Amino acid sequence: MEVQSQGIFESLHKRLQFYVFKNIASQIESGDDYRKLQPVYQIALFNDEEQEHHELIREYASLDKKYHDDKGSLYHVYYIFLKEIDRIIEEKGKDNLDDLEELSYLIEKGSKCNRINLTKVGRIMKNKYDKFMEDMNLREEAWVYEKAEFDKKAHYYDGEAKGKG
């Protein structure tokens, strides 16, 4: 699971695919029985809205064209565009959200959201979120990491603008 606050979706998509395939490849060694491979599920939360298609969730998996399903796929990637929940709430109303929309609402609104009867997964996620918010060192570490990533991108774009890219 990964959370992205900003970035160019196409480059993030390639990086996240790399992680999925790396996780698949690391499961076995050359000569092992390939039936031991287990699927990898990746969830990437974007603190943004889907600009082109206006969707909450975008799913990627390999499909069997003959049967039109993903049975046997080793990778399942779910991109969740959190800002889209506001549009969905406007369309459907808060009382008509499905489970995934409810969970997206919880993640997007954080501690401001107290109206949901959480599932087990929702309770675990809310507990982790609350612990994160209470742990100043963890928040500081996340902030330092995000700032370093922002600085790296700014340096790259600055260099590209000056013809150094």
Side-chain angles (χ1 to χ4, degrees), residues 6-35:
Q6 62 184 350
I8 300 169
F9 180 78
E10 291 77 22
S11 63
L12 291 172
H13 176 60
K14 287 179 181 178
R15 181 171 59 84
L16 295 173
Q17 283 183 88
F18 170 78
Y19 291 157
V20 166
F21 296 128
K22 184 176 167 186
N23 283 327
I24 292 168
S26 69
Q27 291 181 34
I28 62 173
E29 299 291 326
S30 180
D32 284 350
D33 183 351
Y34 285 89
R35 290 176 291 188

Side-chain angles (χ1 to χ4, degrees), residues 128-156:
K128 288 186 181 290
Y129 173 82
D130 290 344
K131 284 180 184 176
F132 174 78
M133 293 309 289
E134 292 169 6
D135 187 338
M136 182 59 103
N137 291 330
L138 191 57
R139 288 196 339 250
E140 178 74 18
E141 185 178 320
W143 182 83
V144 167
Y145 175 79
E146 186 171 333
K147 183 180 181 322
E149 286 296 307
F150 177 80
D151 290 346
K152 185 168 65 174
K153 286 176 189 169
H155 178 73
Y156 171 79

Side-chain angles (χ1 to χ4, degrees), residues 45 54-57 80-110 113 115-116 118-119:
L45 306 173
H54 299 289
E55 58 196 358
L56 180 63
I57 300 164
I80 301 177
F81 299 92
L82 295 173
K83 297 293 183 190
E84 287 292 325
I85 198 62
D86 292 328
R87 181 189 54 77
I88 292 169
I89 288 171
E90 196 173 295
E91 274 178 24
K92 295 171 78 171
K94 287 181 186 176
D95 295 328
N96 300 313
L97 302 177
D98 64 28
D99 290 342
L100 192 54
E101 292 165 344
E102 289 272 8
L103 192 55
S104 298
Y105 180 64
L106 169 67
I107 294 167
E108 170 61 15
K109 302 304 179 191
C113 177
R115 62 174 288 281
I116 299 173
L118 296 174
T119 63

